[in-house]
Amino acid sequence: MEGDGSDSLVTIKNIERELICPACKELFTHPLILPCQHSICHKCVKELLLTLDDSFIDVGSDNSNQSSPRLRLPSPSMDKIDRLSRPASQRRSLGWRGWKRGSLTPRTTTFPCPGCEHDVDLGERGINGLFRNFTLETIVERYRQAARAATAIMCDLCKPPPQESTKSCMDCSASYCNECFKIYHPWGTVKAQHEYVGPTTNFRPKILMCPEHETERINMYCELCRRPVCHLCKLGGNHSNHRVTTMSSAYKTLKEKLSKDIDYLIGKESQVKSQISELNLLMKETECNGERAKEEAITHFEKLFEILEERKSSVLKAIDASKKLRLDKFQTQVEEYQGLLENNGLVGYAQEVLKETDQSCFVQTAKQLHLRIQKATESLKSFRPAAQTSFEDYVVNTSKQTELLGELSFFSSGIDVPEINEEQSKVYNNALINWYHPEKDKADSYVLEYRKINRDEEMLSWNEIEVCGTSKVISDLESNCNYAFRVRAYKGSICSPCSRELILHTPPAPVFSFLFDEKCGYNNEHLLLNLKRDRVESRAGFNLLLAAERIQVGYYTSLDYIIGDVGITKGKHFWAFRVEPYSYLVKAGVASSDKLQEWLRSPRDAVSPRYEQDSGHDSGSEDACFDSSQPFTLVTIGMKKFFIPKSATSANEPENRVLPMPTSIGIFLDYDKGRVAFYDMDHMKCLYERQVDCSHTMYPAFALMGSGGIQLEEPITAKYLEYQEHM
């Protein structure tokens, strides 16, 4: 490229954020390309895999849907790194994460990408199957050199003191000054043909080798997997049926596309700059409007303060006036009663009148005095205070005003209240909350509030999340708890009232994720499994019609089993599924590994299902031993009904054992206590619970007879919702 060297320096510094590893938040070191096309440091891949491996060892088969680590992890020990570097066959023989412990089938290594937070499959080779991103490594080295422009790369072969290098040999992986390069690469020798570049510390091999076939060079490109491959990969490897092209053709095509994209972006540079200027103006306008809104709010509150101060002064004056009046009355009454005392007032005056000897004069004076003394005597007999001491009439009632002030918000200006959609809102491993709002008053944003409700119905403080769309996933909720949700709309600085609260109950245990096992006991003639392995349908009904002419008296149809691909050896787990309404008969529950092997090894036409313990026929044999713990528990679902197994209390009441089939059914297994329970997911209500023998590895077990279908509940993920919003 032509131009000033300072321009290239600025350009290389501007791309720093593209050179940061999403795991350790530092510049890439030996980056590897994951199947999702994101890059991550080699050491970070090892550290994250070791963390997953350790957590897997600690919790056994507990599934907690861990999120991708975002912080740098401590350096792993050398023995753990050696474990990761072993070939896949050795790792499997050592019981590493490539196999699920307690599982009947192997599984390849999954890895949470810190960049996109998707789980990617590393395959059986693990780290050894990943390409090293040499291009990114070269750019990082170029950035390092630009960042330390004043630091020179010294010659590796000079005697002290070393001279500044002028060349770096890619074949020797060393840097040389002019003199040393001539000495170690003499003219006319093989070394004189070595490839050399400018001074660098980044040495990469000339030829990119295949990670699966280490002796073969990369010379083709798989268009389906979008990754380079060798000819052995195409001939008999994982890419034998894929469409591949030559490396030169892929190089030319991708380079043309990338060049066009870059040219397009460069051509739109003026448009981008104008949009940035517009955004800066909008930021300034937002800041001004925000300050103006604050000033208006302060003005309104100051008016409220003035009204409160005025009312406060008026109320205090009224209380003081009433207090003074009452005290005056009490003082007058005190003076009157003091006059009744001897040698004081009325009594003393009466005593002096009694000394009068003239009868006419005495009668003239004593008549009025007698009336006064009689009145005083009556007041003594019925003492009543002249005033009340209580100020109950002067208590300020602020309950209504307090409630209004507590709900004080921005004036809604006609914004309708958003309503939570109860049918589309549900809780599983996370809570999915959906709401709707009239289009004519569509808000700029929403605030979703939620809080936990304690068992004593004590309300905790609300947690708030700002949302741009009309749905949100809430994670990190506690198991077996009630949560209240509500939402309000914002349009600018105007807020609507809160919606009606929605109460959801979380599952009784962490969600256990698994898929249907397509290998162990799976009958592909009768059962149809989708590619995602989360849905199975029974085709036995159709096959039965085709063979109707061969059906004889006594012919019966046996159950077709399918199990989960992950076993449980400890802890509490919960999973959910849906049974299609058209299903004839479906059995679901848990079963131990030895019981499954017994079922799957038994010939299907050797015994009549009437006497088979798990046949699904309502013989009651499977529940005959309800007092004893069995290594399995299965319930029957079919014909839009949920059948509760027999028990000692309901053996003679069959009508009490039939319930409407729930939309979604949940299963809770407490392995340590040996308990299994079945839930109605709509109301998170326990329908049936019993003891189960968990002395062996337990698996989710299902069985179908006749036509039917089972769909596993998909875990709710924020990435899926964000993708839907963008769509």
Side-chain angles (χ1 to χ4, degrees), residues 220-223 226-229 243-247 250 254:
M220 288 182 287
Y221 181 80
C222 178
E223 295 182 351
R226 296 183 179 180
R227 61 174 294 174
V229 296
R243 180 180 177 183
V244 299
T245 183
T246 61
M247 187 60 67
L254 292 176

Side-chain angles (χ1 to χ4, degrees), residues 499-555:
S499 67
R500 182 172 54 87
E501 293 184 12
L502 172 66
I503 308 297
L504 293 178
H505 190 87
T506 57
V511 170
F512 180 64
S513 295
F514 65 92
L515 298 174
F516 288 121
D517 195 332
E518 80 281 13
K519 296 180 180 179
C520 182
Y522 172 64
N523 186 346
N524 56 8
E525 294 182 357
H526 291 176
L527 301 180
L528 177 62
L529 192 62
N530 66 346
L531 294 178
K532 295 173 64 177
R533 293 196 291 123
D534 63 350
R535 178 181 176 84
V536 64
E537 294 183 1
S538 173
R539 299 187 294 185
F542 182 67
N543 294 338
L544 185 62
L545 290 176
L546 294 178
E549 59 185 15
R550 299 195 303 271
I551 295 180
Q552 304 295 331
V553 177
Y555 182 85

Side-chain angles (χ1 to χ4, degrees), residues 470-486:
T470 56
S471 63
K472 183 64 179 177
V473 170
I474 307 297
S475 56
D476 301 328
L477 299 180
E478 298 182 21
S479 300
N480 200 23
C481 294
N482 283 319
Y483 282 87
F485 300 89
R486 69 183 187 185

Side-chain angles (χ1 to χ4, degrees), residues 225-329:
C225 301
R226 296 183 179 180
R227 61 174 294 174
V229 296
C230 69
H231 69 283
L232 292 182
C233 294
K234 172 59 179 173
L235 291 177
N238 297 330
H239 308 270
S240 57
N241 297 324
H242 297 179
R243 180 180 177 183
V244 299
T245 183
T246 61
M247 187 60 67
S248 59
S249 176
Y251 170 80
K252 182 179 179 181
T253 302
L254 292 176
K255 191 167 186 178
E256 288 178 356
K257 290 182 179 179
L258 185 59
S259 298
K260 288 181 180 179
D261 293 339
I262 294 175
D263 292 340
Y264 176 81
L265 292 177
I266 294 175
K268 297 293 183 179
E269 184 175 358
S270 58
Q271 180 180 349
V272 174
K273 288 181 178 179
S274 64
Q275 291 174 350
I276 292 175
S277 300
E278 183 179 354
L279 290 174
N280 290 329
L281 292 175
L282 292 176
M283 290 173 62
K284 292 181 180 179
E285 183 179 352
T286 301
E287 186 174 355
C288 294
N289 291 338
E291 293 298 324
R292 188 180 301 111
K294 286 176 59 177
E295 293 175 359
E296 292 178 356
I298 291 173
T299 302
H300 287 294
F301 277 102
E302 288 178 348
K303 290 181 179 179
L304 288 177
F305 294 153
E306 292 176 0
I307 295 174
L308 288 174
E309 287 293 335
E310 181 183 351
R311 295 299 302 159
K312 174 183 175 183
S313 177
S314 176
V315 168
L316 293 180
K317 286 181 180 179
I319 294 175
D320 288 338
S322 178
K323 181 179 70 173
K324 184 177 182 304
L325 179 61
R326 296 182 188 192
L327 291 176
D328 291 342
K329 290 182 178 180

